[in-house]
Amino acid sequence: MLQSNITEPSISAEQAAQQGKQWAEVHALGCNLAWLEFDASQGRISLLLKQGDAVPVNLTPPDYSVRSRVYEYGGGSFCLTQTGVVFVNESDQGLYWQSVEQPDRVLLVRQADGFRYGDLLCDPQRNRLIAVEEQHSVNRVDHRLVAISLGNPKAGQAAGRRQVLVEGADFYSSPRLNRDGSLLAWLSWDHPQQPWRSTHLWQARLNPSGIPDCFQQLTNGQHCGQEEAIVQPEYGANDALYYLSDRNGWWNLYRYLEGSDGTNPSATAKQSKGGHTEALFPRDAEFCRAPWQLGQRAYVLLDDDTIGCSWWRDGKAELGLLDLPSRQLTPTGEWAAAHSLAAWQGRLCAVVESPVRPGALLQWDSHSEKMEPLAQLQFETGHDFDRHVFKARHIAIELTDGVTVNGLLYRPSVAVGQAATALIIQLHGGPTAQADARFDPLKQFWLQRGFVLLDLNYRGSSGYGRAYRHSLQGRWGQSDVDDVLAAARHCIQQGWADPRKIVVRGNSAGGYTVLQLLSQADADSPIRTGASLYGISDLERLAQQTHKFESQYLSWLIGDPKQHRRRYRQRSPIHRAKSFSRPLIFFQGGLDRVVPATQTFTLYNQLKGRGLAVEYQAFANERHGFRYAASRAKVLQREWAFYRAQLDLEQGESELLEEAVDVQRTG
């Protein structure tokens, strides 16, 4: 490891890979507040429960892990009930009920081979669960909304009876009930759409048997001739239906009221006579992230007049309280990220992420008028993170065609005239995802070794409005490549990066961009080497083999594979193996269903056969996205060794890194 002027040892690969614990999916019911905790050291997810002022306790027995695999990315994997909690067990995707008072008491609700469940919702009036169901059969995957009876565990009544509520669309999400359980709302979409492009909002009245009746399509996937993506419907007072829509170019808050004058029909009305939709707080900011996972909670109804909400703009996340009568927004704080909002006994709760320390679960205190901690995440590594943390600043890079590319730049403070250092350009997956500035030990691993790091939100990323998110249409493998090259040259021009020491690394879709860059790298390319973490190399094969949720995503990103086979081959790095000339390291999970390991290994063998400096690291127990701390540590160790060798950092150039590091004391 390189030495630097850091007075204490740099974070090790093992320490960085543990990443501490991560929290998500906060839910509240009565005095109970529950959320999920992911532990990278164990690679499992547990359910934590806090009752009143008591210390949170871990409910999940050691042989369970709470995780849904609906749409492969899961989400909405538990819900609170009047008698306990219902969760999805990762290993068998079964539904289980667990007692809150007696956590050792876990009972099977429903489990069947080939079935998965997610986006769980408790229907207390009918003592049942409503969920998105995914059924795998021979050469077919079907999705629908179903109801599953919970029975009565205390009385020994059997659970698991299943009723189909809605089916026929390709995909479903976000089932929601109004307050008396008489109305059900949900979202649907069909191929070739994705939930961040175009979704349909529905509601239906439930008949005495709990089956939807009098279906009403509130949105049809378009608004004023443009695609409209609806996210997170929620019922409020008087059956008002709230949701997030990007119809104005940003995901903002809206409210739908039945009746053209904004009033609601009587409870006995059979169908709506029209409705009134209003924008609640128009703002050039994103009030949610792209819904890659189910169960997103980016806003919450605190009472009839107040909404707690989060939004993201130019690298910063904020939380606020929106007063509906006055439409005044009261900010409650600014963070790197804020998510998993919940209303607990009338108070706003949220998981917030800091740029310099682990995240926390906070709640709004009306007396102090501040967000106060309910629980704080800890890193149990023995490393003093607070003293050696580099923070990001948001940058916007203007391209020659007037397009702006965004990113988060982490750069050690350097003296005027001091030499530029090595640069890592990091690329997120998706490609419709986004990088934020939350504290991440994996990034700090590189920063504490002297690298400048640019976390690039290339075109197509979320967080910058619909136009930016849609700008990759038909141009994946081109515009993202152009953005990386432009960012690298910008960093060189600003004196931030040594042009001989520029690395690009990315996972999944970001890994594909890495492969595209290195398969096109000529003598003028500033990219010297790279790392592909389960990156896509064969677009044709991906279109044929990938799971249903993304099976037609490529038609939007590239074009119809039947009509544009030549384009698919031209943009597939596996067909340009002879064009690679730069060193490259691959990391791949053996259980990956999104990017099968055969893709990565085939390209690696082709490059190795040409005598290029390539390396392949396989992880037999990992899927699409490495969960285990041991895997992540090995990635860092092998990647760091690879860069040292390929960039010659140990022979004459290490001084550039040593001198560039000026630790920021942020504790």
Side-chain angles (χ1 to χ4, degrees):
M1 183 177 69
L2 295 177
Q3 297 298 313
S4 73
N5 62 355
I6 296 178
T7 57
E8 297 180 16
S10 297
I11 180 175
S12 69
E14 291 80 7
Q15 290 169 332
Q18 289 186 31
Q19 282 189 292
K21 296 174 181 177
Q22 300 172 39
W23 290 339
E25 292 195 34
V26 181
H27 293 287
L29 182 64
C31 67
N32 294 329
L33 184 69
W35 63 95
L36 296 182
E37 178 178 87
F38 171 62
D39 187 342
S41 65
Q42 301 180 34
R44 64 187 291 267
I45 301 174
S46 302
L47 184 65
L48 299 188
L49 179 75
K50 179 177 174 61
Q51 295 182 304
D53 296 329
V55 175
V57 295
N58 189 330
L59 290 182
T60 306
D63 50 343
Y64 291 89
S65 180
V66 183
R67 189 183 191 187
S68 166
R69 291 201 179 279
V70 172
Y71 304 147
E72 298 302 325
Y73 301 107
S77 51
F78 84 96
C79 68
L80 293 169
T81 74
Q82 299 295 332
T83 60
V85 60
V86 177
F87 66 89
V88 179
N89 184 41
E90 181 175 7
S91 62
D92 62 4
Q93 290 298 287
L95 294 167
Y96 291 81
W97 174 87
Q98 182 179 21
S99 170
V100 170
E101 283 72 28
Q102 298 175 290
D104 291 339
R105 191 179 183 205
V106 179
L107 303 176
L108 176 66
V109 174
R110 176 178 171 81
Q111 191 278 327
D113 291 344
F115 285 82
R116 304 175 181 181
Y117 297 95
D119 229 347
L120 307 188
L121 171 71
C122 180
D123 181 356
Q125 283 86 354
R126 301 169 182 88
N127 191 34
R128 66 181 185 175
L129 188 73
I130 296 176
V132 175
E133 180 183 80
E134 179 175 292
Q135 180 182 5
H136 292 251
S137 52
V138 178
N139 299 322
R140 185 180 179 90
V141 178
D142 292 295
H143 293 94
R144 56 185 73 91
L145 292 181
V146 298
I148 298 172
S149 63
L150 293 176
N152 188 333
K154 293 183 178 180
Q157 296 178 2
R161 186 174 63 87
R162 168 182 167 275
Q163 290 178 296
V164 175
L165 300 181
V166 186
E167 60 183 345
D170 288 328
F171 303 98
Y172 293 93
S173 76
S174 312
R176 300 290 189 270
L177 289 166
N178 67 342
R179 293 181 179 181
D180 65 6
S182 63
L183 291 173
L184 176 69
W186 68 91
L187 298 175
S188 72
W189 65 98
D190 292 300
H191 279 316
Q193 296 292 356
Q194 297 292 137
W196 49 84
R197 285 177 48 211
S198 176
T199 56
H200 299 224
L201 175 62
W202 298 81
Q203 75 172 1
R205 192 164 299 281
L206 299 180
N207 66 22
S209 299
I211 302 299
D213 196 3
C214 301
F215 285 72
Q216 183 182 6
Q217 186 175 11
L218 302 182
T219 69
N220 64 2
Q222 290 195 341
H223 179 74
C224 296
Q226 295 189 64
E227 291 179 339
E228 178 185 25
I230 305 294
V231 180
Q232 194 188 329
E234 302 284 354
Y235 278 108
N238 301 317
D239 296 340
L241 188 56
Y242 297 79
Y243 58 87
L244 294 163
S245 167
D246 64 352
R247 63 177 56 177
N248 73 340
W250 301 83
W251 268 314
N252 281 188
L253 282 159
Y254 291 82
R255 176 169 60 183
Y256 172 83
L257 297 169
E258 288 198 359
S260 58
D261 60 353
T263 62
N264 290 65
S266 68
T268 59
K270 294 298 183 183
Q271 63 183 35
S272 171
K273 297 181 180 180
H276 169 72
T277 300
E278 55 184 339
L280 297 180
F281 192 75
R283 173 176 278 196
D284 288 353
E286 296 280 53
F287 281 71
C288 68
R289 290 174 175 256
W292 277 92
Q293 291 183 301
L294 299 170
Q296 181 175 173
R297 288 293 191 281
Y299 74 92
V300 64
L301 306 178
L302 299 176
D303 55 43
D304 292 349
D305 293 327
T306 313
I307 296 178
C309 51
S310 62
W311 63 95
W312 201 87
R313 175 73 169 167
D314 292 338
K316 296 178 181 179
E318 294 186 69
L319 281 172
L321 302 173
L322 177 62
D323 180 73
L324 290 173
S326 67
R327 304 298 168 87
Q328 295 296 311
L329 184 67
T330 303
T332 66
E334 184 177 283
W335 291 274
H339 57 91
S340 304
L341 276 63
W344 188 37
Q345 299 176 332
R347 300 188 298 274
L348 171 64
C349 298
V351 176
V352 301
E353 312 281 354
S354 163
V356 297
R357 58 181 57 89
L361 179 62
L362 305 184
Q363 74 170 353
W364 174 252
D365 188 310
S366 58
H367 299 291
S368 65
E369 296 189 339
K370 293 180 180 179
M371 295 295 291
E372 301 289 351
L374 285 170
Q376 177 72 51
L377 278 162
Q378 302 292 332
F379 284 83
E380 299 172 358
T381 64
H383 186 80
D384 186 1
F385 287 97
D386 279 357
R387 299 189 61 192
H388 295 159
V389 174
F390 298 95
K391 295 188 291 185
R393 67 181 179 92
H394 188 268
I395 63 171
I397 303 168
E398 299 290 338
L399 305 187
T400 55
D401 57 1
V403 174
T404 298
V405 176
N406 300 278
L408 297 163
L409 180 70
Y410 298 80
R411 182 171 177 250
S413 300
V414 295
V416 176
Q418 194 169 34
T421 187
L423 168 70
I424 292 177
I425 300 178
Q426 183 160 301
L427 307 175
H428 61 68
T432 313
Q434 74 184 76
D436 59 43
R438 73 183 70 189
F439 172 66
D440 183 353
L442 298 177
K443 293 178 185 176
Q444 297 301 320
F445 176 87
W446 299 113
L447 295 165
Q448 291 187 15
R449 280 153 181 79
F451 286 92
V452 170
L453 190 146
L454 175 59
D455 212 349
L456 192 66
N457 277 314
Y458 49 86
R459 277 176 285 181
S461 303
S462 297
Y464 299 90
R466 185 182 63 204
Y468 196 82
R469 188 171 71 247
H470 287 194
S471 61
L472 207 56
Q473 182 177 5
R475 294 191 54 79
W476 191 36
Q478 295 179 328
S479 294
D480 48 325
V481 169
D482 293 341
D483 293 352
V484 175
L485 294 174
R489 293 182 177 118
H490 178 78
C491 290
I492 293 171
Q493 292 169 0
Q494 297 297 315
W496 301 334
D498 183 336
R500 301 167 298 171
K501 311 293 178 187
I502 297 181
V503 176
V504 61
R505 70 188 305 270
N507 61 291
S508 190
Y512 165 69
T513 303
V514 169
L515 298 177
Q516 277 288 84
L517 283 157
L518 294 182
S519 69
Q520 302 173 24
D522 54 23
D524 295 329
S525 174
I527 307 301
R528 299 306 171 192
T529 185
S532 170
L533 288 80
Y534 39 94
I536 301 153
S537 60
D538 189 338
L539 296 175
E540 286 183 291
R541 184 164 295 182
L542 179 69
Q544 297 166 0
Q545 295 182 346
T546 196
H547 55 101
K548 179 184 174 183
F549 181 72
E550 293 186 77
S551 62
Q552 295 191 32
Y553 190 20
L554 290 180
S555 296
W556 186 82
L557 290 167
I558 306 290
D560 187 330
K562 295 180 181 179
Q563 299 179 18
H564 300 285
R565 187 182 181 195
R566 183 179 179 184
R567 184 185 299 174
Y568 273 70
R569 292 182 68 85
Q570 288 175 337
R571 296 194 202 173
S572 292
I574 201 166
H575 296 306
R576 291 198 308 277
K578 295 181 180 179
S579 300
F580 282 80
S581 60
R582 306 287 167 88
L584 176 61
I585 185 169
F586 296 92
F587 299 96
Q588 179 66 45
L591 301 177
D592 195 334
R593 291 195 61 234
V594 180
V595 179
T598 53
Q599 272 194 38
T600 304
F601 194 65
T602 298
L603 179 57
Y604 160 73
N605 276 330
Q606 290 177 348
L607 301 183
K608 183 180 179 182
R610 292 184 50 233
L612 293 183
V614 292
E615 186 175 328
Y616 180 86
Q617 294 289 328
F619 302 90
N621 63 336
E622 292 286 8
R623 298 181 183 272
H624 195 68
F626 297 160
R627 297 179 60 194
Y628 293 96
S631 303
R632 294 175 176 178
K634 187 174 182 180
V635 168
L636 293 178
Q637 291 164 349
R638 295 309 310 156
E639 195 175 349
W640 174 223
F642 189 78
Y643 295 159
R644 290 205 311 267
Q646 302 308 323
L647 299 181
D648 199 22
L649 294 179
E650 293 182 325
Q651 299 179 16
E653 297 297 334
S654 62
E655 291 84 358
L656 295 178
L657 298 183
E658 294 170 17
E659 294 174 3
V661 177
D662 178 21
V663 176
Q664 299 172 356
R665 302 291 181 177
T666 60

